[in-house]
Amino acid sequence: MSIKIEHLNYIYSQGTAYEKQALTDINLELPNGQFTGIIGHTGSGKSTLIQHLNGLVKATSGAIYYNGENIYAEGYSMKELRSRVGLVFQYPEYQLFEVDVFTDVCFGPKNLGLPKDEVEARAYEALRQVGLKEKYYKKSPFELSGGQKRRAAIAGILAMQPEVLILDEPTAGLDPRGRDNILDQIALLHEERGITVVLVSHSMEDIAKYVERIIVMQKGHVRFDDEPRRVFEHYRELEQIGLAAPQVTYVMQELKKRGMQVDTGAMTIEEARASILACMGQVGI
Amino acid sequence: MIRDITIGQYYPADSVIHRLDPRTKLVGTLVFIFSLFLFRSFAAYAVATICLAGVIRASKVPFKFMVKGLKSILILLMITVVFNMFLTPGEPLFKIWKLTITQEGVLQAAFMAIRLTYLIIGSSVMTLTTTPNQLTDGMEKGLRPLNKLHVPVHEVAMMMSIALRFIPILLEETDKIMKAQMARGADFENGGLLQKAKSMVPLLVPLFISAFRRASDLAMAMEARGYHGGGGRTKMKPLKYQKRDHMAYLAMMLYLLAMYAAKRITGF
């Protein structure tokens, strides 16, 4: 039960003057229930990669298996795949179109052909999960603030109750508080429902404390694929490809260089604090 | 998908034709089309073929891009040929059932086919070697005398270049919204006419909203940079005829003369 990508290649506008290889020989496996982060610079191919996972973009070559079934096999239902692998696009609020928020969230489950009461039950649950207050349900999506619109749009995907949830830069353009709120909610969902979550971002800082695994993309290749602390050990290389490790990593690396035996793998401020205090305790200050 | 549709199908390359002043290319295309209709003679068309082949060669654009435009008029071309063949009165060549094919008809059909094909290829040469922006620039400068007649040439050119610039942006946006709605289970392909029309709502509403938002953002950005119409506005890269443009105009004259001569001398 997982998503498996084998030798995936994708070439944009093949056969024209604008031909461009966007993805080169990608091999990945996303096991069920994992919280994965995909990181890369603009144009590194991360958005293209995730659009393959629910069949919106067809690979030029290679195969993708969802729960062991090849999604490019004849007769494989893309519609069903899309109901199982939910993809939240960048700036998802641009897809809102209905007269009110609630009806808009109903769009997804309605397309699955569910009965009306089931559709509404799912919409209510999804809206509750993203933490949108009930007074907004009957408002036009265009009356909402940026963060609220974003939540409504995410709820639109959640209402389809996917087994895998992929989010493309869900926090782009939000203020720090809105960002933390949304990420916390996603982490909570992952915990509560045990769904597989893939979070795409260009900021390490944002996702470091949530994900179990980080995939770093560069120019259409997978550059690193490991648990966060291991990936951050390559902070110099990350910098070279225009990314950065969390600030804590830099502090810890610098302390170590100056002779303190701190844990350079610390990723949150709390972990770093504990590690530094432990060190100081040993030295006896 | 939608991304592959190209309007203003510029093919980037470094060639003499690409470097020509857009006004030269506009005039050249007009001269070429004009000549196709003026000189109705196979000898003249032979001259046109040679010249067109030479220009295509010089443009460094692969030939298959030139003929791409023909695909869209293939049906039109066939209808024209068939109608001309059957409906031109004259010397009967042979008869199929109640329809007669005349000698004049076959000739007429051949001329029409050549004209239409060359017309498309000829204008493709221009659009493939000139960016839409260069084209509007060329038109603006070329039509400037109309200002005296109170035609708002600059404003029209500005609107045109903005419209052209927005085509790829809106196409990309359409692609994005379509994908986003497909991810929510929307189906744009199946169903009857009514079903299909209905399925456009989730695409068109966000698209319109985004177009209006972009338009208002652009207007704001233009005002912030002090745009106030064409009066006293200078260009960063003013169009200026180079030596190659003069050569091109000379070539056009020679071309017209050659066409005329070919028709006159051979009489065919």
Side-chain angles (χ1 to χ4, degrees), chain A residues 12-13 15-18 51 54 56-57 79 82 87 89 94-97 104 107-108 111 142 156-157 160, chain B residues 1 3-4 10-12 64-65 173 176-177 179-187 201-202 205-206 209 213:
Chain A
Y12 266 123
S13 312
T16 72
Y18 301 97
Q51 286 177 28
N54 70 347
L56 283 174
V57 175
K79 206 166 170 177
R82 281 171 201 153
L87 175 58
F89 273 80
Y94 293 169
Q95 76 194 24
L96 302 173
F97 68 98
D104 200 278
F107 181 68
N111 284 330
F142 307 105
I157 297 289
M160 297 173 79
Chain B
M1 264 184 99
R3 186 186 296 277
D4 299 325
Y10 181 65
Y11 183 93
K64 66 171 183 181
F65 285 91
E173 192 94 3
K176 224 190 272 174
I177 297 169
K179 277 184 183 163
Q181 304 298 26
M182 275 158 79
R184 296 169 77 190
D187 188 348
V201 175
V205 172
I209 292 166
R213 189 185 54 240

Side-chain angles (χ1 to χ4, degrees), chain A residues 15-210:
Chain A
T16 72
Y18 301 97
E19 187 173 306
K20 189 179 172 261
Q21 176 116 24
L23 295 172
T24 314
D25 196 33
I26 307 282
N27 293 286
L28 285 173
E29 192 172 349
L30 303 169
N32 262 7
Q34 198 176 49
F35 197 150
T36 309
I38 299 183
I39 276 203
H41 211 254
T42 314
S44 60
K46 50 194 194 317
S47 294
T48 312
L49 174 63
I50 57 166
Q51 286 177 28
H52 279 85
L53 300 182
N54 70 347
L56 283 174
V57 175
K58 192 175 183 308
T60 310
S61 69
I64 297 173
Y65 298 91
Y66 183 69
N67 290 343
E69 277 182 87
N70 188 344
I71 67 164
Y72 296 136
E74 209 164 310
Y76 192 88
S77 166
M78 281 297 173
K79 206 166 170 177
E80 179 156 339
L81 177 70
R82 281 171 201 153
S83 74
R84 288 165 183 246
V85 181
L87 175 58
V88 179
F89 273 80
Q90 210 168 356
Y91 298 105
E93 55 272 27
Y94 293 169
Q95 76 194 24
L96 302 173
F97 68 98
E98 275 289 4
V99 284
D100 63 59
V101 171
F102 187 75
T103 324
D104 200 278
V105 175
C106 286
F107 181 68
K110 214 164 78 190
N111 284 330
L112 297 181
L114 298 167
K116 193 168 177 258
D117 48 340
E118 170 76 11
V119 167
E120 290 185 354
R122 283 186 175 202
Y124 270 119
E125 201 195 336
L127 281 164
R128 189 192 56 78
Q129 279 168 341
V130 296
L132 204 65
K133 289 203 184 84
E134 203 152 346
K135 62 176 175 183
Y136 297 119
Y137 290 8
K138 289 293 163 197
K139 278 202 171 169
S140 159
F142 307 105
E143 288 172 49
L144 269 52
S145 75
Q148 289 162 343
K149 270 191 220 169
R150 183 78 47 100
R151 282 159 196 271
I154 295 176
I157 297 289
L158 282 180
M160 297 173 79
Q161 303 197 339
E163 294 160 3
V164 178
L165 180 65
I166 308 171
L167 300 110
D168 192 356
E169 307 247 6
T171 60
L174 293 185
D175 55 45
R177 198 158 139 212
R179 182 190 66 201
D180 290 346
N181 274 339
I182 285 202
L183 289 177
D184 284 341
Q185 224 114 34
I186 292 165
L188 197 68
L189 261 172
H190 172 246
E191 242 167 69
E192 273 180 3
R193 300 220 337 230
I195 54 175
T196 314
V197 180
V198 179
L199 198 60
V200 176
S201 175
H202 61 251
S203 160
M204 289 281 184
E205 208 94 31
D206 277 8
I207 66 170
K209 74 173 186 208
Y210 298 101

Side-chain angles (χ1 to χ4, degrees), chain B residues 228-264:
Chain B
H228 54 81
R233 194 172 155 80
T234 53
K235 290 257 176 221
M236 188 165 138
K237 289 179 190 155
L239 289 177
K240 228 176 142 189
Y241 279 130
Q242 308 285 329
K243 202 174 150 203
R244 55 174 171 264
D245 295 301
H246 297 304
M247 301 283 280
Y249 278 111
L250 194 68
M252 280 177 227
M253 303 281 246
L254 288 175
Y255 165 74
L256 282 177
L257 276 176
M259 290 281 272
Y260 179 70
K263 191 188 174 190
R264 230 21 204 317

